[in-house]
Amino acid sequence: MQVAALTASTYYLSIPRSMLLWFPRWLLLGRAGRRWFLLCAAVATRLSALHMLMFTDYVWAG
């Protein structure tokens, strides 16, 4: 909502000051993104190990 108000505004001097209020949101988004990345990395590592075992046992060939 604030982005829409800033894009429609003609008083552009308040943009940097109002963006300072967004700072905690970026921190929370980064923390959530880090958790998501770690979860995906853990799942991908396990799946890669499983696929490597299947490849070495010739299970992948059909």
Side-chain angles (χ1 to χ4, degrees):
M1 198 158 94
Q2 190 172 6
V3 173
L6 289 174
T7 55
S9 174
T10 57
Y11 187 66
Y12 291 111
L13 295 177
S14 66
I15 292 174
R17 184 177 51 205
S18 64
M19 284 185 69
L20 286 175
L21 298 174
W22 299 350
F23 182 68
R25 292 181 194 152
W26 299 123
L27 286 178
L28 292 173
L29 223 107
R31 285 184 185 162
R34 182 172 183 264
R35 288 186 189 129
W36 178 254
F37 174 76
L38 291 176
L39 175 70
C40 288
V43 170
T45 303
R46 289 185 175 94
L47 284 176
S48 295
L50 176 68
H51 288 149
M52 186 263 312
L53 289 172
M54 289 172 61
F55 180 79
T56 56
D57 286 338
Y58 298 106
V59 178
W60 60 274

Coordinates of all heavy atoms in Angstrom, one line a residue:
M1 N 0.8 -1.2 0.0 CA 0.0 0.0 0.0 C 0.9 1.3 0.0 O 0.6 2.2 -0.7 CB -0.9 0.0 1.2 CG -2.1 0.9 1.1 SD -3.4 0.4 2.2 CE -3.0 1.4 3.6
Q2 N 2.0 1.2 0.7 CA 2.9 2.3 0.8 C 3.6 2.5 -0.5 O 3.8 3.7 -0.9 CB 3.9 2.1 1.9 CG 4.7 3.4 2.2 CD 5.5 3.3 3.4 OE1 5.6 2.2 4.0 NE2 6.2 4.3 3.8
V3 N 3.9 1.5 -1.3 CA 4.5 1.6 -2.6 C 3.6 2.3 -3.5 O 4.0 3.2 -4.3 CB 4.9 0.2 -3.1 CG1 5.5 0.3 -4.5 CG2 6.0 -0.4 -2.2
A4 N 2.3 2.0 -3.5 CA 1.4 2.7 -4.4 C 1.2 4.1 -4.0 O 1.2 5.0 -4.9 CB 0.0 2.0 -4.3
A5 N 1.3 4.4 -2.7 CA 1.2 5.8 -2.3 C 2.4 6.6 -2.8 O 2.3 7.8 -3.2 CB 1.0 5.9 -0.8
L6 N 3.6 6.0 -2.7 CA 4.8 6.7 -3.1 C 4.9 6.8 -4.6 O 5.4 7.9 -5.1 CB 6.0 5.9 -2.6 CG 6.2 5.9 -1.1 CD1 7.4 5.0 -0.7 CD2 6.5 7.3 -0.6
T7 N 4.4 5.9 -5.4 CA 4.5 6.1 -6.8 C 3.5 7.1 -7.3 O 3.7 7.7 -8.3 CB 4.2 4.7 -7.5 OG1 3.0 4.2 -7.1 CG2 5.3 3.7 -7.3
A8 N 2.4 7.3 -6.6 CA 1.4 8.3 -7.0 C 1.7 9.7 -6.4 O 1.0 10.6 -6.8 CB 0.0 7.8 -6.5
S9 N 2.7 9.7 -5.5 CA 3.0 11.0 -4.8 C 3.9 11.9 -5.7 O 4.7 11.4 -6.5 CB 3.7 10.7 -3.5 OG 4.1 11.9 -2.9
T10 N 3.7 13.2 -5.5 CA 4.6 14.1 -6.2 C 5.7 14.6 -5.3 O 6.6 15.3 -5.7 CB 3.8 15.3 -6.7 OG1 3.1 15.9 -5.7 CG2 2.8 14.9 -7.8
Y11 N 5.6 14.2 -4.0 CA 6.6 14.7 -3.0 C 7.6 13.5 -2.8 O 7.4 12.7 -2.0 CB 5.9 15.1 -1.7 CG 6.8 15.7 -0.7 CD1 7.4 16.9 -1.0 CD2 7.1 15.0 0.5 CE1 8.3 17.5 -0.1 CE2 8.0 15.6 1.4 CZ 8.6 16.8 1.1 OH 9.4 17.4 2.0
Y12 N 8.7 13.5 -3.6 CA 9.6 12.4 -3.6 C 10.7 12.5 -2.5 O 11.5 11.6 -2.4 CB 10.3 12.3 -5.0 CG 9.3 11.8 -6.1 CD1 9.0 12.7 -7.1 CD2 8.8 10.6 -6.1 CE1 8.1 12.3 -8.1 CE2 7.9 10.2 -7.0 CZ 7.6 11.0 -8.0 OH 6.7 10.6 -9.0
L13 N 10.7 13.6 -1.8 CA 11.7 13.7 -0.7 C 11.4 12.7 0.4 O 12.3 12.5 1.2 CB 11.8 15.1 -0.3 CG 12.3 16.1 -1.3 CD1 12.3 17.5 -0.8 CD2 13.7 15.7 -1.8
S14 N 10.2 12.2 0.6 CA 9.9 11.4 1.7 C 10.2 9.9 1.4 O 10.0 9.1 2.3 CB 8.4 11.6 2.1 OG 7.6 11.1 1.0
I15 N 10.6 9.6 0.2 CA 10.8 8.2 -0.1 C 11.9 7.5 0.7 O 11.7 6.5 1.3 CB 11.0 8.0 -1.6 CG1 9.7 8.3 -2.4 CG2 11.4 6.6 -2.0 CD1 9.8 8.3 -3.9
P16 N 13.1 8.1 0.8 CA 14.2 7.4 1.6 C 13.8 7.3 3.0 O 14.1 6.3 3.7 CB 15.4 8.3 1.4 CG 15.1 9.1 0.1 CD 13.6 9.2 0.0
R17 N 13.1 8.3 3.5 CA 12.7 8.3 4.9 C 11.7 7.2 5.2 O 11.7 6.5 6.2 CB 12.1 9.6 5.4 CG 11.8 9.7 6.8 CD 11.3 11.1 7.2 NE 10.3 11.5 6.3 CZ 10.0 12.8 6.0 NH1 10.6 13.7 6.7 NH2 9.0 13.1 5.2
S18 N 10.7 7.0 4.3 CA 9.7 6.0 4.5 C 10.3 4.6 4.2 O 9.8 3.6 4.8 CB 8.5 6.2 3.6 OG 8.9 6.1 2.2
M19 N 11.3 4.5 3.4 CA 11.9 3.2 3.1 C 12.7 2.7 4.4 O 12.9 1.5 4.5 CB 12.8 3.2 1.9 CG 12.1 3.2 0.6 SD 13.1 3.1 -0.8 CE 13.8 1.5 -0.7
L20 N 13.1 3.5 5.2 CA 13.7 3.1 6.5 C 12.8 2.3 7.3 O 13.2 1.5 8.1 CB 14.2 4.3 7.3 CG 15.5 5.0 6.7 CD1 15.8 6.3 7.5 CD2 16.7 4.1 6.7
L21 N 11.5 2.6 7.2 CA 10.5 1.8 7.9 C 10.3 0.4 7.4 O 9.8 -0.5 8.1 CB 9.1 2.5 7.9 CG 9.1 3.9 8.5 CD1 7.8 4.6 8.2 CD2 9.4 3.9 10.0
W22 N 10.8 0.1 6.2 CA 10.7 -1.2 5.6 C 11.8 -2.1 6.1 O 11.8 -3.3 5.8 CB 10.7 -1.1 4.1 CG 9.6 -0.3 3.5 CD1 8.5 0.2 4.0 CD2 9.6 0.1 2.1 NE1 7.8 0.8 3.1 CE2 8.4 0.8 1.9 CE3 10.4 -0.1 1.0 CZ2 8.0 1.3 0.7 CZ3 10.0 0.4 -0.2 CH2 8.8 1.1 -0.4
F23 N 12.8 -1.6 6.7 CA 14.0 -2.3 7.1 C 13.7 -3.6 7.8 O 14.3 -4.6 7.5 CB 15.0 -1.4 7.8 CG 16.3 -2.1 8.2 CD1 17.2 -2.4 7.2 CD2 16.6 -2.4 9.5 CE1 18.4 -3.0 7.5 CE2 17.8 -3.0 9.8 CZ 18.7 -3.3 8.8
P24 N 12.9 -3.6 8.9 CA 12.7 -4.9 9.6 C 12.0 -5.9 8.7 O 12.2 -7.1 8.9 CB 11.7 -4.4 10.7 CG 12.0 -3.0 10.9 CD 12.3 -2.5 9.6
R25 N 11.2 -5.5 7.7 CA 10.5 -6.4 6.9 C 11.6 -7.2 6.0 O 11.4 -8.4 5.8 CB 9.6 -5.7 5.9 CG 8.4 -5.2 6.7 CD 7.4 -4.5 5.7 NE 6.5 -3.7 6.5 CZ 5.9 -2.7 6.1 NH1 6.1 -2.3 4.8 NH2 5.0 -2.0 6.8
W26 N 12.6 -6.5 5.6 CA 13.6 -7.2 4.7 C 14.4 -8.2 5.6 O 14.8 -9.2 5.1 CB 14.6 -6.1 4.1 CG 13.9 -5.2 3.2 CD1 13.9 -3.8 3.3 CD2 13.1 -5.5 2.1 NE1 13.1 -3.3 2.3 CE2 12.6 -4.3 1.5 CE3 12.7 -6.7 1.5 CZ2 11.8 -4.3 0.4 CZ3 11.9 -6.7 0.3 CH2 11.4 -5.4 -0.2
L27 N 14.6 -7.8 6.8 CA 15.3 -8.8 7.7 C 14.5 -10.0 7.9 O 15.0 -11.2 7.9 CB 15.6 -8.1 9.1 CG 16.7 -7.1 9.1 CD1 16.9 -6.5 10.5 CD2 18.0 -7.7 8.7
L28 N 13.2 -9.9 8.2 CA 12.3 -11.0 8.4 C 12.2 -11.9 7.1 O 12.2 -13.1 7.2 CB 10.9 -10.6 8.8 CG 10.9 -9.9 10.2 CD1 9.5 -9.4 10.5 CD2 11.2 -11.0 11.3
L29 N 12.2 -11.2 6.0 CA 12.1 -11.9 4.7 C 13.4 -12.7 4.4 O 13.4 -13.8 4.0 CB 11.9 -10.9 3.6 CG 10.9 -11.4 2.5 CD1 9.6 -10.6 2.8 CD2 11.4 -11.2 1.2
G30 N 14.5 -12.1 4.8 CA 15.8 -12.8 4.7 C 15.9 -14.0 5.6 O 16.4 -15.0 5.1
R31 N 15.5 -13.9 6.8 CA 15.5 -15.0 7.7 C 14.6 -16.1 7.2 O 15.0 -17.3 7.2 CB 15.1 -14.6 9.1 CG 16.1 -13.8 9.8 CD 15.7 -13.5 11.2 NE 16.7 -12.6 11.8 CZ 16.5 -11.9 12.9 NH1 15.3 -11.9 13.5 NH2 17.5 -11.2 13.4
A32 N 13.4 -15.8 6.7 CA 12.5 -16.8 6.2 C 13.1 -17.5 4.9 O 13.0 -18.7 4.7 CB 11.2 -16.2 5.9
G33 N 13.8 -16.7 4.1 CA 14.4 -17.2 2.9 C 15.6 -18.1 3.2 O 15.8 -19.1 2.6
R34 N 16.3 -17.8 4.3 CA 17.4 -18.6 4.7 C 16.9 -20.0 5.2 O 17.5 -21.0 4.9 CB 18.2 -17.9 5.8 CG 19.4 -18.7 6.2 CD 20.3 -17.9 7.2 NE 21.5 -18.6 7.5 CZ 21.6 -19.3 8.6 NH1 20.6 -19.4 9.5 NH2 22.7 -19.9 8.9
R35 N 15.9 -20.0 6.0 CA 15.3 -21.2 6.4 C 14.8 -22.1 5.3 O 15.0 -23.3 5.2 CB 14.1 -21.0 7.4 CG 14.6 -20.4 8.7 CD 13.4 -20.3 9.7 NE 13.9 -19.6 10.9 CZ 13.3 -18.6 11.4 NH1 12.2 -18.1 10.9 NH2 13.7 -18.0 12.5
W36 N 14.2 -21.5 4.3 CA 13.7 -22.2 3.1 C 14.8 -22.7 2.3 O 14.8 -23.9 1.9 CB 12.8 -21.2 2.3 CG 12.3 -21.9 1.0 CD1 12.8 -21.7 -0.2 CD2 11.3 -22.8 0.9 NE1 12.1 -22.4 -1.1 CE2 11.1 -23.2 -0.4 CE3 10.5 -23.5 1.9 CZ2 10.2 -24.1 -0.9 CZ3 9.5 -24.4 1.4 CH2 9.4 -24.7 0.1
F37 N 15.9 -22.0 2.2 CA 17.1 -22.4 1.5 C 17.7 -23.6 2.2 O 18.1 -24.6 1.5 CB 18.1 -21.3 1.3 CG 19.4 -21.8 0.7 CD1 19.5 -22.0 -0.7 CD2 20.5 -22.0 1.5 CE1 20.7 -22.4 -1.2 CE2 21.7 -22.4 0.9 CZ 21.8 -22.6 -0.4
L38 N 17.9 -23.6 3.5 CA 18.5 -24.7 4.2 C 17.6 -25.9 4.1 O 18.1 -27.0 4.0 CB 18.7 -24.3 5.7 CG 19.8 -23.2 5.9 CD1 19.8 -22.8 7.4 CD2 21.1 -23.7 5.4
L39 N 16.3 -25.8 4.2 CA 15.4 -26.9 4.0 C 15.5 -27.6 2.6 O 15.7 -28.8 2.5 CB 14.0 -26.5 4.3 CG 12.9 -27.6 4.0 CD1 13.0 -28.6 5.1 CD2 11.5 -27.0 4.0
C40 N 15.6 -26.7 1.6 CA 15.7 -27.3 0.2 C 17.1 -27.9 0.0 O 17.2 -28.9 -0.6 CB 15.5 -26.1 -0.8 SG 13.8 -25.6 -0.9
A41 N 18.1 -27.3 0.6 CA 19.5 -27.9 0.5 C 19.5 -29.3 1.2 O 20.2 -30.2 0.7 CB 20.5 -27.0 1.1
A42 N 18.9 -29.4 2.4 CA 18.9 -30.7 3.1 C 18.1 -31.8 2.3 O 18.6 -32.9 2.2 CB 18.2 -30.5 4.5
V43 N 17.0 -31.4 1.7 CA 16.2 -32.4 0.9 C 17.0 -32.7 -0.4 O 17.1 -33.9 -0.7 CB 14.8 -31.8 0.6 CG1 14.1 -32.7 -0.5 CG2 14.0 -31.7 1.8
A44 N 17.6 -31.8 -1.0 CA 18.3 -32.0 -2.3 C 19.6 -32.9 -2.0 O 19.9 -33.8 -2.8 CB 18.8 -30.7 -2.9
T45 N 20.2 -32.7 -0.9 CA 21.4 -33.5 -0.5 C 21.0 -35.0 -0.3 O 21.7 -35.9 -0.9 CB 22.1 -33.0 0.8 OG1 22.4 -31.6 0.6 CG2 23.3 -33.8 1.1
R46 N 19.9 -35.2 0.4 CA 19.5 -36.6 0.6 C 19.0 -37.2 -0.7 O 19.3 -38.4 -1.0 CB 18.4 -36.6 1.6 CG 18.9 -36.3 3.0 CD 17.8 -36.4 4.0 NE 18.4 -36.2 5.4 CZ 18.4 -35.1 6.0 NH1 17.9 -34.0 5.5 NH2 19.0 -35.0 7.2
L47 N 18.3 -36.5 -1.6 CA 17.9 -37.0 -2.9 C 19.1 -37.3 -3.8 O 19.1 -38.3 -4.5 CB 16.9 -36.1 -3.5 CG 15.5 -36.1 -3.0 CD1 14.7 -35.0 -3.7 CD2 14.9 -37.4 -3.1
S48 N 20.1 -36.5 -3.7 CA 21.3 -36.7 -4.5 C 22.0 -37.9 -4.1 O 22.5 -38.7 -4.9 CB 22.2 -35.5 -4.5 OG 21.6 -34.3 -5.0
A49 N 22.1 -38.2 -2.8 CA 22.7 -39.4 -2.3 C 21.9 -40.6 -2.7 O 22.5 -41.6 -3.2 CB 22.8 -39.3 -0.8
L50 N 20.6 -40.5 -2.7 CA 19.8 -41.7 -3.1 C 20.0 -41.9 -4.6 O 20.1 -43.1 -5.0 CB 18.3 -41.4 -2.8 CG 17.3 -42.4 -3.3 CD1 17.5 -43.7 -2.5 CD2 15.9 -41.9 -3.2
H51 N 20.0 -40.9 -5.4 CA 20.2 -41.1 -6.8 C 21.6 -41.6 -7.2 O 21.8 -42.4 -8.1 CB 19.9 -39.8 -7.6 CG 18.5 -39.4 -7.6 ND1 18.1 -38.1 -7.7 CD2 17.4 -40.2 -7.6 CE1 16.7 -38.1 -7.7 NE2 16.3 -39.3 -7.7
M52 N 22.6 -41.2 -6.4 CA 23.9 -41.7 -6.6 C 24.0 -43.2 -6.3 O 24.6 -44.0 -7.0 CB 24.9 -41.0 -5.7 CG 26.4 -41.3 -6.0 SD 27.1 -42.5 -4.8 CE 26.7 -42.0 -3.2
L53 N 23.3 -43.6 -5.2 CA 23.3 -45.1 -4.9 C 22.5 -45.9 -6.0 O 22.9 -47.0 -6.3 CB 22.6 -45.3 -3.5 CG 23.5 -44.8 -2.3 CD1 22.6 -44.9 -1.1 CD2 24.7 -45.6 -2.2
M54 N 21.5 -45.3 -6.4 CA 20.7 -46.0 -7.5 C 21.5 -46.1 -8.8 O 21.5 -47.1 -9.5 CB 19.4 -45.2 -7.8 CG 18.4 -45.4 -6.7 SD 16.9 -44.3 -6.9 CE 16.3 -44.9 -8.4
F55 N 22.3 -45.0 -9.1 CA 23.1 -45.0 -10.3 C 24.2 -46.1 -10.2 O 24.5 -46.8 -11.2 CB 23.7 -43.6 -10.5 CG 24.6 -43.5 -11.7 CD1 24.1 -43.4 -12.9 CD2 26.0 -43.5 -11.6 CE1 24.9 -43.3 -14.0 CE2 26.8 -43.4 -12.7 CZ 26.2 -43.3 -13.9
T56 N 24.9 -46.2 -9.0 CA 25.9 -47.2 -8.9 C 25.4 -48.6 -8.8 O 26.2 -49.5 -9.1 CB 26.8 -46.9 -7.6 OG1 25.9 -46.8 -6.5 CG2 27.5 -45.5 -7.7
D57 N 24.2 -48.8 -8.5 CA 23.6 -50.1 -8.5 C 22.9 -50.5 -9.8 O 22.2 -51.5 -9.9 CB 22.6 -50.3 -7.3 CG 23.3 -50.4 -6.0 OD1 24.5 -50.8 -6.0 OD2 22.6 -50.1 -5.0
Y58 N 23.0 -49.6 -10.8 CA 22.4 -49.8 -12.1 C 20.8 -49.8 -12.0 O 20.2 -50.5 -12.9 CB 22.9 -51.0 -12.8 CG 24.4 -50.9 -13.1 CD1 25.3 -51.7 -12.4 CD2 24.9 -50.1 -14.1 CE1 26.6 -51.6 -12.6 CE2 26.2 -50.0 -14.3 CZ 27.1 -50.7 -13.6 OH 28.4 -50.6 -13.8
V59 N 20.2 -49.2 -11.0 CA 18.8 -49.2 -10.9 C 18.2 -48.1 -11.9 O 17.1 -48.2 -12.3 CB 18.4 -48.9 -9.5 CG1 16.9 -48.8 -9.3 CG2 18.9 -49.9 -8.5
W60 N 19.0 -47.2 -12.3 CA 18.5 -46.1 -13.1 C 18.3 -46.5 -14.5 O 17.6 -45.9 -15.3 CB 19.6 -45.0 -13.1 CG 20.9 -45.4 -13.6 CD1 21.9 -46.0 -12.9 CD2 21.4 -45.4 -15.0 NE1 23.0 -46.3 -13.8 CE2 22.7 -45.9 -15.0 CE3 20.8 -44.9 -16.2 CZ2 23.4 -46.1 -16.2 CZ3 21.6 -45.0 -17.3 CH2 22.8 -45.6 -17.3
A61 N 18.8 -47.7 -14.9 CA 18.8 -48.1 -16.3 C 17.4 -48.7 -16.7 O 17.2 -49.1 -17.8 CB 19.9 -49.0 -16.7
G62 N 16.6 -48.9 -15.7 CA 15.3 -49.4 -16.1 C 14.8 -50.6 -15.6 O 13.8 -51.1 -16.0

